[in-house]
Amino acid sequence: AQRLAGTFTVWTRWRSALGRSALGRVYGIVIADGEDLNEALVANGLARIYGTRTELFDGRDSRAYLVRLHELEEQAKREHKGAWRFTP
């Protein structure tokens, strides 16, 4: 809530859903005070990764972005942060 109290930007991308769903999904990246909120949530064990390869708003490679998110998720798991504190 504190991070979103100030100015922030939401970048969205619509993609076809993979798997059994015929519906699409909207993926978003929120930048608040220069920080990627997705990264902060994953790093603190407050979000899980569900991503797809797509062109990112700032030209970054989505594969590299997903690798970064997976690294943060693994670290949160090791440190039992957020929801990961309930896992062995």
Side-chain angles (χ1 to χ4, degrees):
Q2 290 174 335
R3 288 189 174 131
L4 296 177
T7 303
F8 62 91
T9 303
V10 180
W11 297 93
T12 61
R13 168 81 55 186
W14 184 91
R15 295 286 296 187
S16 296
L18 301 175
R20 296 181 298 192
S21 176
L23 302 174
R25 289 193 172 89
V26 176
Y27 294 89
I29 296 176
V30 178
I31 306 296
D33 293 327
E35 183 180 11
D36 184 328
L37 189 58
N38 291 345
E39 290 183 3
L41 290 170
V42 170
N44 286 290
L46 302 174
R48 292 179 56 203
I49 301 166
Y50 186 85
T52 186
R53 292 186 193 128
T54 187
E55 181 181 330
L56 296 178
F57 69 95
D58 58 1
R60 287 181 291 169
D61 178 65
S62 63
R63 283 175 267 191
Y65 183 66
L66 289 172
V67 167
R68 169 76 177 140
L69 291 176
H70 281 286
E71 290 169 354
L72 292 171
E73 185 176 68
E74 289 303 315
Q75 182 176 351
K77 286 178 183 180
R78 282 192 306 274
E79 295 175 4
H80 301 285
K81 289 184 173 180
W84 301 116
R85 71 177 178 262
F86 301 111
T87 60

